[in-house]
Amino acid sequence: MLKTNDDRLVEFLLQCQPGPPKTRGTWQVDHEGKPFLLPSIGGITLNVQVGDSCFGWAGDHIEPGVSCTADTHKPFEHPNTSLQIYSCTGNRAEIVSGEAKGESGVVIGHHGGSEHIIVDFARDVKEKLTYNDTIIVRAKGQGLRLTDYPDISLFNLDPELLQRMPIRLGSDAVLEVPVTTVVPAACMGSGVGAAHVAKGDYDIMTSDEETVRQYHLDALRFGDFVALMDHDNRYGRAYRQGAVSIGIVVHSDCLVAGHGPGVTTLMTTASSAIRPVIDPSANIADLLQIGTRLDF
C-alpha cells in the first residue's frame, strides 16, 4: 500500500446538477476545412459511458455519463469553480432528489471550457434523472501526497482510487503505473500552457492519421489511464524532457484542429520517478466494475 497523507485531507460535500447539452448554435469547421453540425458537450448522455470507445461517435467532444455543473449560467464563477477544483476522479456522487434519489455514481474527471465534472451512472439511473435533480459529491483528494515519493505530485485523485490502482514498485525504486496508452509529447494540444491542472483537461490531438495508428490512439476508451510523455503538469501544463504525467480520458475524439480525446491529470513528475507500463485493462471501468468493461 502506498503511504499518503490521506488522514489529513479535507473532505467537502459539493452540490451540483446535470448540465444541459451545449451548442454554439451554428456550423463548426473541422481540421480538414469541412463544416459539421453534431452533438457535443454536456447533457445526460444515455448511451455513452466509461469503458466505451472515444472514437466513432457522430459527435464532437462528447462527455460520457452525466455532465454536472454547480451553476449553468455562471460556469467560470463560484460555486462552479469550487466544484471543478475540489471534485476528484474516483469521488462518490449521490443523487439526493427526484426519481433516482439514493442512486450513486463515480466522478470521472473535469472538462475545461464546458467547465463540467463528468459523473458515471448506470444507464437505468440516467433514465430517471432530470436537469433539476440535485447531486452531492463527496469531494476528497486535492492535497493528496505520496509521502515516500516527494518528486511525484498528485492532482484530482481520490485516495481510495489511488490505493486500488495496481501500481507497483520497480526494482529500481521507480513507481510502475499501468496505462493503456503512451502518448508522445507532440500530440498534446488544446489546454497546453494552463496555469494549473486542478480543473479542466487537455487534448490528445488526433489530426495526423499516421501518428494515431503508430501510437494506437484510436483504441482509447473513456476512463483509460494514459501516460503523457515529456509533459510536466506540476505547475501548469508544460513540455519538459524526461517528465511523465498520468491522466484519465474524459471526453471523446474531436473534429476541431488542435483537439482530440481529453485528459484530466492525476499524477505528474519532472523526474524519472514514474514508469508507465502497458495494461489494456487500465481503465476506471474495469478497476471499479462500472460502465463498459473489457471481456477477457
Side-chain angles (χ1 to χ4, degrees):
M1 180 175 288
L2 295 168
K3 294 181 180 179
T4 72
N5 62 334
D6 182 5
D7 63 335
R8 307 304 296 170
L9 296 181
V10 176
E11 186 173 10
F12 288 126
L13 290 182
L14 302 177
Q15 182 171 309
C16 57
Q17 62 190 59
K22 296 183 179 181
T23 175
R24 288 187 172 88
T26 187
W27 293 95
Q28 290 184 271
V29 178
D30 71 9
H31 55 76
E32 298 289 349
K34 300 175 183 177
F36 67 90
L37 194 64
L38 292 168
S40 189
I41 59 177
I44 301 168
T45 310
L46 294 175
N47 62 330
V48 186
Q49 58 191 12
V50 289
D52 288 339
S53 174
C54 292
F55 290 77
W57 299 98
D60 182 83
H61 286 84
I62 298 299
E63 298 169 351
V66 180
S67 304
C68 297
T69 176
D71 190 335
T72 298
H73 302 291
K74 298 179 179 179
F76 297 98
E77 299 179 27
H78 178 76
N80 200 50
T81 49
S82 299
L83 176 72
Q84 280 280 304
I85 289 176
Y86 296 133
S87 296
C88 291
T89 297
N91 285 166
R92 181 170 172 264
E94 183 177 353
I95 303 166
V96 296
S97 69
E99 189 179 348
K101 182 177 179 179
E103 300 285 359
S104 62
V106 178
V107 175
I108 304 305
H110 325 127
H111 186 185
S114 67
E115 302 306 305
H116 290 144
I117 65 167
I118 300 165
V119 184
D120 182 81
F121 291 101
R123 173 155 186 160
D124 63 336
V125 175
K126 291 186 285 187
E127 294 275 7
K128 301 174 185 176
L129 275 172
T130 74
Y131 289 100
N132 293 318
D133 283 332
T134 299
I135 298 171
I136 296 294
V137 175
R138 290 188 170 272
K140 184 180 181 181
Q142 295 297 22
L144 183 63
R145 292 186 293 106
L146 291 170
T147 55
D148 291 338
Y149 297 92
D151 288 348
I152 298 175
S153 300
L154 306 179
F155 296 95
N156 314 312
L157 183 57
D158 186 292
E160 291 187 13
L161 178 61
L162 171 66
Q163 297 297 351
R164 295 186 68 165
M165 295 170 69
I167 298 171
R168 301 183 299 270
L169 180 63
S171 58
D172 52 358
V174 172
L175 284 189
E176 297 181 339
V177 180
V179 298
T180 66
T181 310
V182 173
V183 183
C187 285
M188 299 314 298
S190 178
V192 170
H196 67 83
V197 297
K199 60 191 285 287
D201 68 310
Y202 69 140
D203 289 9
I204 302 170
M205 294 187 289
T206 54
S207 52
D208 186 74
E209 293 182 1
E210 183 177 343
T211 302
V212 169
R213 285 194 298 270
Q214 180 180 354
Y215 292 96
H216 308 291
L217 302 181
D218 53 355
L220 285 170
R221 299 186 293 150
F222 300 110
D224 271 357
F225 299 112
V226 297
L228 313 177
M229 306 307 292
D230 299 314
H231 270 252
D232 178 5
N233 282 193
R234 293 173 303 158
Y235 309 111
R237 301 185 184 114
Y239 173 80
R240 189 184 302 273
Q241 289 188 28
V244 180
S245 292
I246 304 295
I248 185 169
V249 176
V250 297
H251 70 67
S252 76
D253 189 28
C254 316
L255 300 174
V256 179
H259 292 258
V263 178
T264 291
T265 301
L266 303 178
M267 310 173 70
T268 188
T269 180
S271 68
S272 57
I274 293 174
R275 179 185 301 119
V277 178
I278 294 296
D279 178 355
S281 67
N283 185 294
I284 196 170
D286 299 285
L287 193 61
L288 301 185
Q289 293 297 288
I290 58 176
T292 303
R293 279 90 74 185
L294 288 180
D295 184 15
F296 289 106

